Amino acid sequence: METAWALNAQGLSKSFGRKVVEGLTLTIRPGEFYALLGANGAGKTTTLRMIAGLTPPDAGRIEVFGRDVVKDPLGAKAIMAWLPDEPLLYDKLSPLEYLEFIAGLWQVPPELARRRADELLELLGLWPHRAERCEGFSRGMKQKTVLAGALIHDPKFLLLDEPFTGLDAGSARLVKNLLTRHVENGAAIILTTHILEVAERLASRIGILAGGTLVAEGGLEALRGHAGFESGTLEDVFLQLTAG
Amino acid sequence: MFKPPGFLWLLRHELKVLWRGSILVRTHRYVLVPASIVILMFQAFGVLVGHLIMRHPVAPEIMLLALNINLAFLFVLMFSRAMMACIDVLYARGDADFLLASPIAPNRVLAVRMLGVALSILAPWLLLAGMLANGLIIFGQLWALAVYPMLLAEALVVAALAFALVVVLVGRIGPMAARRAGHSLALFTGVGIFILGQTPHFVPHAALAGFWSGLLPGPGGGGLAYLFARGVLGQPGPLLAALALAALVFCLVWVFLAGPFARGAISAASYRPAGREGAQQARFRHSAFSSLMAKDRRLLARFPGLVSQIAYRSLTLIPVVAILLGKVVIGLAVTVPLLVFLAGQLGLFFISVLAQMNDMPALIASAPVAARAPRRAAYLVCAQTALAIIGLPVVAVLVKGPALAPVMLLGVAGALASNLWLGRRLPIPLSRAAFGKTQVGTLLGLVLGVSISAGWALAAWLVVTFV
Ligand SMILES: Nc1ncnc2c1ncn2[C@@H]1O[C@H](COP(=O)(O)OP(=O)(O)OP(=O)(O)O)[C@@H](O)[C@H]1O
Ligand SMILES: [Mg+2]
């Protein structure tokens, strides 16, 4: 069944002692690239974790391509990939073994998985290191390995928590192209980032999170309108909207 | 000196970090009560032993020899521990680079590190030997006070030599292999002590007596080899000489290493383990469960101390094999509790390794697999591995005594199952699995797990003896 929404999250709330996310409503269409911005501690990671089915929300409903994350977690997870803000890697596994593991978890057919693994490793420049254990990797190499893991099962919905941390310019460009292509093929992506240039370039829609809820949403023009600016960069708008 | 960045200020910081990483603090808060009870019991035992020593005085010669043997064993045990600690403080904790980047004199940092290692390896033995010493002191044997400074002297020597060896080893073979060398040293010591304890069983009495009496210090006091032992007996000359010698060794190593340490040549030698490249082949699988098992098997197999730790626990197999080969004439039934105990211990160890190396539940939680799948895969891998190790002896025993089968199978399964269940919740502490990973094991898990293995073994023993 095709649904109109890739993500349909209504009235999400979460508190850890104090309220972190409050009454957040977020909708994303298939083929949309959504950037979630916000100051440190605004609740971006918490929001992504709730959508990924890792942190149960206190209130609200989340559907991914029509599958309820709370009621049908396995069905929803099968079409999602979640990229954590810190690369979660097994030190003692090599990138190839890591991809093998991830492909197994998402039950990608072996021949397809092998082909995609080779492609991704080649593309991300990890091919020479494919049989080395990750414990010796640099931050950027680890980031590329988990990115490959997020893409190997060709998820329809990607949750990326600061995916560009540690990537060199060339790799960042590669990943941007990869993600754009993924979206063009009908997938949806939500990403958080502190690099506003990334959001401005990639995202078709930007949401700004403050005080546990969206204070503004839309393209750059719409955000300017919210902030009451005639012109100005995303940075100016962001600072204006998150001030106070 | 107490003010930042003085020597004692830095030492306090170092000890704080070491203390927080130590087994007592990592562990449950509630363990403090049972721990103090155990300490009190040990102290009572110490008083008892002190009393026995008073009642049955030992010839000074034999006393010296016994002390020297103990000091030698202590040396090796401390040394192995010190090697791990050195690797940690130099290469693993990662704050060596940080401190070297600060305006604190590098040689001060090094001195504090060396002293910290000495004190941390000293603490448990001081506690143990101290109880015995206290047992003697309360009977008026004030010389036993000398145990305290003498253990400090030994720890200083050990720490200094271990630092020197570790720097050399790491420079040549890298921190991982150096750590393995430390593990192996502990293993060989364990095996050595075990074999020495067994000598009366296979060496003729006369030969053994001749060997030991040949080692006795003789009327001259035994010379330099007995310096530390005489120090422990409270003889003022040897005591002072041993302390001076220890300080000298410590300072020499410090002076020797201070230069390279300051240049960053030591801590930077291999801050990150070079990723090991193997002939690894990925085999993409159809099912999530077999992928989970493959991952667990790999993590288990790549745990740094795996072989030595398994070998340690498998010492239990030596008497089993001896009985099976007819070298020891005891009933075959004795092998049952031994194997049951081993099954429990292996299961506990394997599941603890996986608990330690598997600290990213969020990754698997984001995958479309049932919540219980990772748990089951881990149980299965651990059980399979344990059974692979004890399988052959179990089968051999059952072939010789088929009547033992029900008890054996039930005991092994029970010990394995209960310790797997327990170990996943309360893993035992492991010598640090990997650089920069926090220890998850607790002392409580260790005490409970060993008790459960022993409980099953005891039950099996009772059944085979009385039923
Ligand atoms: N498991 C938790 N327990 C308690 N508090 C938490 C937990 N997870 C997050 N928080 C709190 O929720 C708030 C939001 O955290 P979150 O990680 O979502 O922020 P963020 O927007 O991702 O920030 P950053 O830009 O720094 O990544 C923080 O104040 C954090 O301390
Ligand atoms: Mg975050």
Side-chain angles (χ1 to χ4, degrees), chain B residues 285-331:
Chain B
R285 290 168 172 79
H286 277 290
S287 105
F289 195 75
S290 61
S291 295
L292 282 166
M293 283 185 61
K295 182 258 310 172
D296 282 342
R297 234 176 253 128
R298 282 191 178 121
L299 292 188
L300 192 58
R302 290 170 194 180
F303 178 72
L306 187 77
V307 175
S308 61
Q309 294 285 321
I310 291 180
Y312 233 156
R313 287 170 174 81
S314 303
L315 287 180
T316 327
L317 284 178
I318 297 179
V320 173
V321 172
I323 293 171
L324 276 171
L325 295 179
K327 293 277 182 216
V328 183
V329 206
I330 320 176

Side-chain angles (χ1 to χ4, degrees), chain A residues 54 74 77-78 82 88-90 92-94 96-97 100-101 104 106-107 110 113-114 117 131-133 136-137, chain B residues 176 272-273 275-276 280 282-286 288 291 295 298-299 302 357-358 360 362 364-369:
Chain A
L54 299 170
L74 297 194
K77 286 171 186 175
W82 167 69
L88 294 184
L89 268 183
Y90 294 95
K92 298 283 169 195
L93 295 188
S94 68
L96 194 55
E97 289 168 336
E100 176 214 296
F101 174 56
W106 267 266
Q107 299 178 40
R114 145 92 45 199
E132 276 171 33
R133 294 191 192 164
F137 281 11
Chain B
M176 290 296 203
R272 219 190 269 154
R276 181 132 122 238
Q280 306 155 16
R283 200 162 65 76
F284 288 88
R285 290 168 172 79
H286 277 290
S291 295
K295 182 258 310 172
R298 282 191 178 121
L299 292 188
R302 290 170 194 180
M357 298 184 85
N358 236 340
M360 48 193 73
I364 297 176
S366 77
V369 290

Side-chain angles (χ1 to χ4, degrees), chain A residues 16 18 20 38-47 85 161-162 194:
Chain A
F16 297 106
R18 60 181 189 80
V20 175
N40 292 137
K44 303 180 295 295
T45 298
T46 307
T47 304
D85 46 358
D161 207 347
E162 300 180 31
H194 292 298

Side-chain angles (χ1 to χ4, degrees), chain B residues 73-87 117 121 125 158-159 162 165-166 178-190 308-309 312 431:
Chain B
F73 276 137
L74 199 59
F75 185 91
V76 188
L77 289 176
M78 276 189 180
F79 199 88
S80 150
R81 202 38 230 110
M83 279 179 71
M84 313 291 168
C86 295
I87 296 173
V117 167
I121 55 171
W125 298 110
V158 168
L165 182 64
V166 160
R179 183 181 280 267
R180 219 168 295 138
H183 277 298
S184 311
L185 182 65
L187 176 66
F188 290 136
T189 315
S308 61
Q309 294 285 321
Y312 233 156
S431 51

Side-chain angles (χ1 to χ4, degrees), chain B residues 49-274:
Chain B
V49 174
H51 182 67
L52 284 179
I53 295 180
M54 298 291 301
R55 287 274 294 278
H56 311 277
V58 187
E61 256 197 352
I62 298 182
M63 186 84 154
L64 269 181
L65 177 61
L67 274 178
N68 224 15
I69 294 171
N70 277 307
L71 283 173
F73 276 137
L74 199 59
F75 185 91
V76 188
L77 289 176
M78 276 189 180
F79 199 88
S80 150
R81 202 38 230 110
M83 279 179 71
M84 313 291 168
C86 295
I87 296 173
D88 273 348
V89 298
L90 283 179
Y91 305 98
R93 222 160 69 201
D95 63 345
D97 287 348
F98 169 74
L99 283 172
L100 278 181
S102 81
I104 293 182
N107 55 12
R108 187 182 302 162
V109 175
L110 180 66
V112 163
R113 288 248 134 143
M114 291 175 61
L115 205 54
V117 167
L119 294 180
S120 75
I121 55 171
L122 171 66
W125 298 110
L126 206 56
L127 208 64
L128 269 179
M131 289 180 214
L132 188 59
N134 296 344
L136 286 165
I137 292 163
I138 60 167
F139 290 110
Q141 304 290 310
L142 289 185
W143 59 265
L145 278 172
V147 166
Y148 291 102
M150 282 310 297
L151 280 184
L152 174 66
E154 184 159 13
L156 284 178
V157 174
V158 168
L161 295 182
F163 251 88
L165 182 64
V166 160
V167 167
V168 172
L169 276 184
V170 169
R172 301 198 169 231
I173 58 180
M176 290 296 203
R179 183 181 280 267
R180 219 168 295 138
H183 277 298
S184 311
L185 182 65
L187 176 66
F188 290 136
T189 315
V191 175
I193 293 177
F194 181 83
I195 292 177
L196 216 57
Q198 299 299 310
T199 43
H201 292 302
F202 54 82
V203 179
H205 253 284
L208 209 58
F211 172 74
W212 287 122
S213 63
L215 279 185
L216 285 176
L224 198 61
Y226 278 83
L227 181 69
F228 275 68
R230 278 184 287 146
V232 176
L233 282 183
Q235 301 176 8
L239 180 77
L240 290 179
L243 278 174
L245 184 65
L248 182 69
V249 170
F250 190 85
C251 290
L252 271 181
V253 171
W254 175 62
V255 168
F256 209 69
L257 294 184
F261 184 76
R263 289 195 302 275
I266 292 180
S267 69
S270 181
Y271 173 50
R272 219 190 269 154

